[in-house]
Amino acid sequence: MNRYLARLPLFVGAIALVALLTACSSALVRDVYTASGDGSTPDDLVRTTIFRGDDDLNVVVRLNAHNRELIVSATFTGPGGEVYVTDPLEAGETVTDVVLGLDWEAQGAVFWAEGEWQVEVYVDNDMKKIARFTVQATEAPAAG
């Protein structure tokens, strides 16, 4: 047998090991963006970095392929330092998109603070990405 053919299984095994190690070390988070709307999936939301004071504040987390359950959460920080933490969500092996957000009505229908905000995205309690966005001034509806 040709000595090169005898080494082929070793070579193929080495390539497979490198591919496996690369996949394990790749970033868990592919993309993060902010979006407004009442939906629970990215298709139900509008990608934006500018919100009204009565919008729901959402962050969409796009995950890379993973082979275990991931715990994903977010911490929103307002311009005055106010902090809002989302409930953690479990993203199973087949989950690629996670929507985390703050529901305006659930916060007591008080307008979000005007100014520059940020949201930190955590996977398994490890901060992975930061996104920044703006909340514009919103006027209260006229009494009628």
Side-chain angles (χ1 to χ4, degrees):
M1 178 160 40
N2 186 325
R3 69 179 186 178
Y4 295 109
L5 287 177
R7 293 183 183 166
L8 185 60
L10 181 61
F11 180 69
V12 171
I15 289 174
L17 181 60
V18 168
L20 179 64
L21 292 174
T22 302
C24 291
S25 66
S26 68
L28 292 173
V29 177
R30 178 174 15 124
D31 188 25
V32 168
Y33 65 87
T34 53
S36 67
D38 288 326
S40 59
T41 68
D43 291 339
D44 298 332
L45 303 172
V46 177
R47 187 175 186 150
T48 187
T49 58
I50 300 175
F51 292 82
R52 294 186 327 263
D54 60 351
D55 277 335
D56 287 352
L57 308 179
N58 299 293
V59 61
V60 176
V61 182
R62 296 237 151 127
L63 300 170
N64 283 315
H66 53 282
N67 59 5
R68 62 184 173 83
E69 185 174 90
L70 303 174
I71 305 300
V72 185
S73 64
T75 300
F76 289 79
T77 304
E82 56 276 30
V83 174
Y84 304 89
V85 179
T86 67
D87 291 332
L89 293 177
E90 297 174 356
E93 294 177 21
T94 61
V95 174
T96 57
D97 292 334
V98 175
V99 175
L100 300 163
L102 302 177
D103 184 273
W104 177 69
E105 290 88 359
Q107 298 294 327
V110 175
F111 293 129
W112 301 115
E114 174 187 354
E116 299 302 313
W117 286 64
Q118 77 173 23
V119 57
E120 297 173 343
V121 173
Y122 293 84
V123 177
D124 292 339
N125 293 316
D126 186 26
M127 203 272 288
K128 296 295 185 186
K129 297 269 186 175
I130 296 175
R132 295 182 185 357
F133 61 95
T134 301
V135 173
Q136 295 179 329
T138 304
E139 294 184 28

